[in-house]
Amino acid sequence: MKHLYINPLLSAVLTLASLTVDARTSVNGDAASVTLSNDHVSARFAADKAFDILSLKSADGFESVKPGLNTRPWTLTYRGLQGQTPELDPSCAVYQGYRTEKTDSSSTIVFSWNTRLLYDGGTYPVEMSVTLADNSPLLEWNLSASLPEGWSITDFKFPALSVVSPDSAKVITPGGWGNEYTHRQGGHYEANYPSWSGSMQMMMVDDGKGVWFYSPRDYNACGKLMTVDAKGGATIFNTKVVASEGWNDRTNSRFNVPWTTVTGRHPADWSATAVDWYRPFALTTEWGSKTLDERDIPEWMMEKDLWLRAKYLGDTTVVAVNRAIDYFGENIAFHWYFWHNHPYDSHYPDYFPANEKFAPIIKQVRDRNCQVMPYINGRLWDPATESYGPRNGKDASCRRPDGNLYTEIYPTSIVPNTVTCPASPIWHDVIMELADRIQDELGTNGLYIDQIAAAAPYPCYATNHGHPVGGGEFWYHAYRDMMNDLRRDHLRPGNVVFSEENAECYIPCFDILLTVNTPHSPICKIVPLYPLIYSDRVLTTAFTYSPYTDVRNGDFRYENMQCLLYGAQLGWVDPRLLWVDDKSAYEARFLKNLVEFRKKQHDVFIGGRYIREFIPEGDNPIAEIPVFGSDYMVKGAEWLSPSGQRVLYVVNSDSKPHKVTLPTGKTVTLKPISAERYNLN
């Protein structure tokens, strides 16, 4: 069989070219309906008795909606002066029809509804705008509402969009690296942004013939819950938001959603959709605008290839750490856990005094030309600590609407921890003091601040933190400013700071992100959504949580194969699990093979772009991977280096050789537990 190799970059350029022909947007209406259209998309809306989307067609003529599915595109929750909290949607309002607006480059339809919130004889309109720019396939949605004097909007869901999708479709969510689910009737899929479950602001449904794309374009990274529901033969996109009090314009008695959501149907697959429609937005944000080369990351961190996860300070751990250095060589970075005198997930942030064994161990490891970063938590404060009362910890904590504190309990400690507000000056000072003590008293290479890039924002109703109450941009802005202060005034020369997980807005805050919480199971497949967007902007390490008790079941090899192909720095395994017997030693040999291979790939992985995943044909068996489900033993990825070199990477995670065929048509034989590179130009 002759193989025709098509460069995905050229394919993307051709796709974009097909979407940028001269396509001026027009609005045409009559008493019954109004249509917003150009050569790429046509949306026809009901114009008389009630709002509805009567037709929504893409350039290929595909009809995405059925009448009656889109009558409630918005839901608003108000708060009145007497504490009333009515929740309104179009069924509780009077549809007023539409008006049109036009600029030199776009056309807009503004739909309006009247609400009656008070018996004052007045009405308080809700207005929804739908804009289509010339030459664009994407509809842009926004919402505003008039308010009675002194009233607020506290929550909203918008825009709700129902489209038709078959049960064979795939739902793509931005959880960690990215997730693919089978579309099931009754299925509910969500991404809580920014967090481990919502690393980016998009949801997609791929039906095999095209992709529905839904993306809030929020440059302030406000907290939001994006959802996809499959019910009644429809796929329903929506975003649920706790509003900031600051979004209520008291002067003009008006509320405005502070971002635009875009929707559209792409003719290709989900990966092309993400690259064509999300990456251009990402590169205009403050977190995605700089390449790795433009960021101020120490060279030793850029060139790192292996991380290990050290736990405790006993002889068993120290022996395993030194054996790992002997085996893998110098320049290993160690995350270090349980270095203080209290159980994990308890007594935060009272890590000091540190265990007296720790500083000498750090010196020993650093003397062997390796690096140490100890764990701290950047978000939790245990109210049982000695510091909580004297430092007024309760005033640093996030407050619920009723004034109580958010409290979390983790199974590792079964201890209640309060969630601090990043905008609190008290908590800011605690983190800065910890940064100083960890570096100066322990002599570390920086610090690991957990949960910042992992945990979703909580709405905060404390009035002493300097931010408007409710949700909004304060969470991201406060952590961004905190990390900027740490870097400018507290991070020692050559040291680094990083966090767990990969919520996009925190990319500039940290030198590297530990990406290990991506959901996965036999019905939830990890896909390379995040590398497609940010591989040339961010450093990552690990793939998922490495096995905690045993590396011999097959998942360890699978994780490190994927880790390499995604461009992440390898390992993040407890060295005590290696060399337990011959089988675990074989797993260590696989990791070493990949580490040695990766050391020679810095010209690509540092600042290069991940292009796509591919599965080599031929002798490529499928295995059942614990926790992950069925997958191939030989997998590949295409990358583009900063200099323009196109590269295919292929990894054989099996203990047997395999003869496979690459996308170019070339047949190669891969040795057991090995990786190979093939340059394409």
Side-chain angles (χ1 to χ4, degrees), residues 17 85 134 151 228-229 393 398 458 496 507 516 556 575 654 666 676:
T85 57
D134 297 342
W151 281 51
V228 171
D229 287 281
C398 284
Y458 276 127
V496 299
I507 288 174
V516 290
F556 179 71
D654 201 358
K666 181 179 181 179
E676 295 292 340

Side-chain angles (χ1 to χ4, degrees), residues 212-323:
W212 259 102
F213 176 77
Y214 179 99
S215 177
R217 294 201 162 167
D218 173 15
Y219 287 87
N220 285 307
C222 300
K224 57 183 69 69
L225 182 68
M226 299 172 290
T227 61
V228 171
D229 287 281
K231 58 184 179 182
T235 297
I236 306 165
F237 295 92
N238 211 342
T239 301
K240 182 179 180 181
V241 180
V242 178
S244 167
E245 178 59 34
W247 300 346
N248 293 284
D249 181 349
R250 297 296 187 186
T251 302
N252 298 301
S253 296
R254 193 164 190 85
F255 173 86
N256 297 286
V257 174
W259 62 79
T260 296
T261 298
V262 301
T263 65
R265 182 176 170 83
H266 196 288
D269 62 11
W270 66 261
S271 58
T273 303
V275 171
D276 289 350
W277 287 355
Y278 194 81
R279 182 171 160 87
F281 158 71
L283 301 192
T284 64
T285 64
E286 66 178 7
W287 55 80
S289 61
K290 290 185 178 180
T291 65
L292 276 173
D293 186 56
E294 294 169 328
R295 296 179 58 195
D296 187 21
I297 300 175
E299 185 176 356
W300 68 266
M301 175 56 72
M302 299 274 266
E303 298 182 349
K304 185 64 55 191
D305 296 294
L306 178 63
W307 289 82
L308 296 179
R309 186 174 72 243
K311 296 181 176 181
Y312 304 104
L313 303 173
D315 292 343
T316 302
T317 297
V318 174
V319 168
V321 164
N322 280 291
R323 182 168 185 179

